[in-house]
Amino acid sequence: MNNIDNQTLERRFKLPIILVSIVIPIAVAVLFSIKLKDFGIQVEPLSFLPPIYASINGLTALFLVMGVLAIKNKNQKVHQRFMTSAIACSIVFLVMYVAYHLTADSTVYGDIDGNKILDTTEKTNVGSMRLVYLFILFSHILLSIIIIPLVLITYVRALSSRFDKHRKIAKITFPIWLYVAVTGVVVYLMISPYYAN
């Protein structure tokens, strides 16, 4: 494939990347606010999913690091497999995350009695850790929106063999994606004591 064909391939993916980058965050936000029970569909909360999708985030982080190590050792095939696996994990995570939130109410950090309201005692008990949790959560959410087009552009540049441009954007994509994957695990570990309530 020559350079003109590669540029054409990249241009062909431009609109789908833009659409996916807009549609996924909007769809997740809408689905996050909808509960199946609101439509008369009675299902048990899929409470087994959070530790699974947190583990998938951890696996994504591992794949990302292994992929970078593979390319540093000039093993392009292994790099490609790890990065494709990281994308697959991210998709599986997204499906599980949405499925969980369609069936379960959101958990409030520090809500010991499970009434979805933080009273003065609960606020005092969690103290400044709630601010730490909220910072990690909001940065995770914001960067998870930003990472969608970055991952897609990085991947398409590799597919189109535009490795100079791929490397350039991968230097931005990798640390953000790794942060999103790792903080996904951290958010789960911080909120998990309040799930049972």
Side-chain angles (χ1 to χ4, degrees):
M1 200 183 281
N2 64 37
N3 198 36
I4 293 170
D5 291 337
N6 292 343
Q7 288 176 355
T8 303
L9 179 66
E10 198 173 330
R11 274 197 298 271
R12 196 177 318 144
F13 279 101
K14 187 175 183 177
L15 182 59
I17 288 171
I18 291 169
L19 291 174
V20 167
S21 300
I22 293 169
V23 168
I24 287 178
I26 291 172
V28 169
V30 168
L31 291 172
F32 193 84
S33 65
I34 294 172
K35 301 290 177 258
L36 292 178
K37 64 184 177 185
D38 297 339
F39 298 96
I41 303 170
Q42 297 303 318
V43 292
E44 286 295 313
L46 301 175
S47 53
F48 63 92
L49 284 179
I52 296 171
Y53 64 65
S55 299
I56 289 172
N57 265 328
L59 197 55
T60 301
L62 180 64
F63 286 155
L64 290 172
V65 171
M66 298 302 288
V68 168
L69 291 175
I71 202 64
K72 285 185 183 290
N73 290 320
K74 302 192 184 330
N75 195 334
Q76 189 175 344
K77 288 270 189 220
V78 172
H79 169 75
Q80 183 180 356
R81 286 186 193 123
F82 276 126
M83 300 320 262
T84 302
S85 297
I87 290 171
C89 281
S90 294
I91 293 168
V92 170
F93 162 82
L94 184 62
V95 170
M96 288 184 172
Y97 180 81
V98 169
Y100 171 74
H101 284 285
L102 281 171
T103 63
D105 292 325
S106 293
T107 303
V108 177
Y109 185 82
D111 183 22
I112 296 166
D113 59 14
N115 67 355
K116 309 296 180 209
I117 299 168
L118 281 184
D119 62 32
T120 308
T121 305
E122 289 170 327
K123 284 181 184 173
T124 302
N125 285 341
V126 293
S128 61
M129 282 309 294
R130 180 167 168 75
L131 294 176
V132 171
Y133 170 79
L134 290 174
F135 173 80
I136 294 169
L137 177 65
F138 289 131
S139 64
H140 170 82
I141 292 169
L142 176 65
L143 291 174
S144 70
I145 294 167
I146 292 169
I147 199 62
I148 296 168
L150 288 174
V151 168
L152 295 174
I153 292 166
T154 305
Y155 195 71
V156 166
R157 286 184 178 170
L159 283 178
S160 60
S161 300
R162 301 189 74 192
F163 296 115
D164 56 332
K165 290 185 171 257
H166 169 78
R167 277 189 295 276
K168 195 177 281 188
I169 195 167
K171 288 179 181 178
I172 299 165
T173 303
F174 171 73
I176 296 173
W177 196 1
L178 185 62
Y179 179 86
V180 169
V182 170
T183 55
V185 177
V186 172
V187 165
Y188 166 74
L189 292 174
M190 292 182 80
I191 196 74
S192 62
Y194 306 103
Y195 273 136
N197 297 320

